[in-house]
Amino acid sequence: MSIPYALDFTEDPAPEAWIAVPILEGRGADRQRRKWAKKCAELRWGLEPEGPSDKSQVKELARVLEGFSEQFPQRIPMQHLFAYAPDLRRDLVPFFFYAVDSQGPVEQVLDTLVQRNEPGAAQDPQIVDFTTDNLGKGLRSIRHFVPKGGEALCMSVNYGWRVDSHGIDLSMRTISDDLGWVSANIEAFDEFARNMKVVNPNDIAVD
């Protein structure tokens, strides 16, 4: 599927915290994915003041990043994928992005994007306005639920915007069972989202 939009930022995300994960398809994708994951793991560990204690830590991060790039796009509809990785002692937190052409009343669409009425919630989602200068009218929800077939309580953090400048409805979402860690990092997620903007893919400079 072609991607009708790209993501850019008014301020570059901290490289030690946010990793843009490629979604690769077609011939040679596995090789490209391995090569990217190896290089990215080396660069990310290079940002740590003391570096890795041994090469196995770099290899493990590369394995995780390769798994993110390969497995998540097969299971979850998305056009962009980021990993939140400020602390390499913890599991990386994936963020999925998906957009469709804007359709219907904005309030109803935003409620759907942040799963206001999605069945299975352990309690009513916590929903706040999340309109930004870059993206326009939006909402953010924190939702607790037990996944189908699971036992542990999970939480999702869901953002949704109607981006009138590009005629799309955009969602940004993560899911985790590490409730304390995710809850403690909501402000970092919010800052990332506020700096985000939608641009034409042709306007993204390639280094």
Side-chain angles (χ1 to χ4, degrees):
M1 180 180 65
S2 62
I3 299 176
Y5 70 100
L7 299 177
D8 200 0
F9 299 86
T10 52
E11 296 181 13
D12 289 338
E16 71 276 10
W18 294 96
I19 299 172
V21 180
I23 299 174
L24 302 170
E25 299 177 334
R27 186 175 181 181
D30 289 345
R31 180 176 178 276
Q32 294 177 58
R33 194 179 293 116
R34 285 193 297 271
K35 183 177 179 181
W36 166 81
K38 180 177 182 295
K39 184 64 175 179
C40 187
E42 292 170 349
L43 291 172
R44 175 60 187 85
W45 266 112
L47 296 174
E48 292 294 298
E50 298 180 359
S53 59
D54 56 58
K55 292 183 178 180
S56 66
Q57 289 183 305
V58 179
K59 291 181 179 179
E60 175 61 16
L61 179 57
R63 184 192 67 79
V64 172
L65 289 170
E66 184 178 352
F68 268 42
S69 180
E70 179 180 15
Q71 297 168 21
F72 280 125
Q74 296 179 19
R75 295 159 41 194
I76 300 171
M78 70 181 71
Q79 293 133 346
H80 297 279
L81 173 62
F82 277 78
Y84 181 61
D87 185 348
L88 295 182
R89 296 168 298 178
R90 288 185 169 271
D91 290 341
L92 277 60
V93 179
F95 276 82
F96 320 113
F97 298 80
Y98 188 74
V100 297
D101 292 337
S102 295
Q103 295 185 42
V106 61
E107 290 80 8
Q108 294 179 17
V109 170
L110 293 180
D111 282 350
T112 299
L113 293 180
V114 301
Q115 300 184 335
R116 181 188 292 272
N117 300 310
E118 186 76 12
Q123 59 193 42
D124 290 341
Q126 304 169 35
I127 300 178
V128 298
D129 176 84
F130 207 87
T131 298
T132 76
D133 292 340
N134 293 331
L135 298 176
K137 187 172 180 61
L139 295 175
R140 186 254 282 154
S141 75
I142 299 174
R143 180 174 179 271
H144 294 84
F145 67 101
V146 176
K148 186 176 181 180
E151 297 181 356
L153 184 67
C154 293
M155 69 181 293
S156 62
V157 185
N158 311 283
Y159 299 79
W161 297 273
R162 171 150 290 182
V163 189
D164 286 324
S165 59
H166 285 73
I168 61 174
D169 295 324
L170 173 67
S171 70
M172 165 180 159
R173 172 173 295 127
T174 190
I175 300 172
S176 176
D177 60 2
D178 194 344
L179 309 189
W181 171 243
V182 171
S183 296
N185 284 270
I186 296 293
E187 289 187 7
F189 305 160
D190 287 355
E191 181 181 4
F192 178 79
R194 288 192 182 98
N195 281 323
M196 189 169 63
K197 59 183 178 179
V198 170
V199 297
N200 187 297
N202 295 328
D203 294 337
I204 295 291
V206 178
D207 295 330

